[in-house]
Amino acid sequence: MLKFAKFIGANTDFATAQAFLFPRNLPEDSSSFIFGLVVSGEGEDIFVKVRQKALNLESDFNEPFERITDKLHELFEKLKLEFSEAENLKMTLFAARQNLFYVLQLGDNLVEIWREGGKSPILHDNFAREKIVSGILKSGDRILVLSSKPEGSW
C-alpha cells in the first residue's frame, strides 16, 4: 500500500516551493497511478500563480491513458507551458502505482529512494536532464523528493 506525506518549507511573495498529489482525494487501493508534482520558482506573486495553475490542472492528471511514459511526457510539456513565466523553474513530476515508480524533472531537485534498513539511498539523483527514470519499489521503501533552492534565495 502506498502512503504519502508532503511538507511545504518556504514561500514568499517572490519565491515558492509547493507539492501536489493527484488525485487530491487519494484512493483507498493502489491499483491506479497517483501523480505527484514538486514545483519551485520565482516571480511576482508566484505562490498564488503556481497554486492556482496546479489545482486547475487536476482534470489533466485524471484523463485516461495507455502508456504511463507518454502520459508523463504529455503532462510535463503542459506543466512547462503553464509555469513558463516562473523564473528559475524547477519541477519534479512523478507517478507511483503499487510497486512502480516513475519520475521526470526539470532542474536539479533531489530524488532519493531509501530501502528499509539501508544506510544510504538506492537511488540518489539530482539529475537536471529531462529523462524518465523508473524503478521497482519494495515494501518499506521511502521516496524523498526535495525542491532545491536557487542561489541567493530565501
Side-chain angles (χ1 to χ4, degrees), residues 29-72:
D29 68 356
S30 58
S31 62
S32 58
F33 275 101
I34 295 171
F35 294 92
L37 173 65
V38 174
V39 61
S40 64
E42 299 173 322
E44 191 66 37
D45 202 23
I46 195 68
F47 173 80
V48 172
K49 289 177 183 176
V50 166
R51 181 164 175 75
Q52 287 175 342
K53 288 182 182 206
L55 295 178
N56 288 338
L57 291 170
E58 184 161 14
S59 62
D60 293 310
F61 284 91
N62 294 331
E63 289 178 2
F65 59 91
E66 289 186 28
R67 292 185 52 201
I68 186 62
T69 52
D70 293 341
K71 180 69 171 182
L72 285 171

Side-chain angles (χ1 to χ4, degrees), residues 39-43 46 50 82-90:
V39 61
S40 64
E42 299 173 322
I46 195 68
V50 166
E82 286 293 322
F83 300 129
S84 62
E85 66 187 64
E87 299 170 28
N88 297 316
L89 178 65
K90 296 178 183 187

Side-chain angles (χ1 to χ4, degrees), residues 2 98-101 111-124 134-144:
L2 296 172
Q98 295 170 341
N99 65 339
L100 301 174
F101 180 73
V111 177
E112 291 183 341
I113 299 177
W114 289 77
R115 185 101 328 136
E116 189 171 26
K119 295 183 181 173
S120 61
I122 60 170
L123 170 70
H124 171 88
S134 63
I136 305 288
L137 301 174
K138 292 185 178 181
S139 179
D141 283 356
R142 305 212 185 264
I143 301 167
L144 179 65

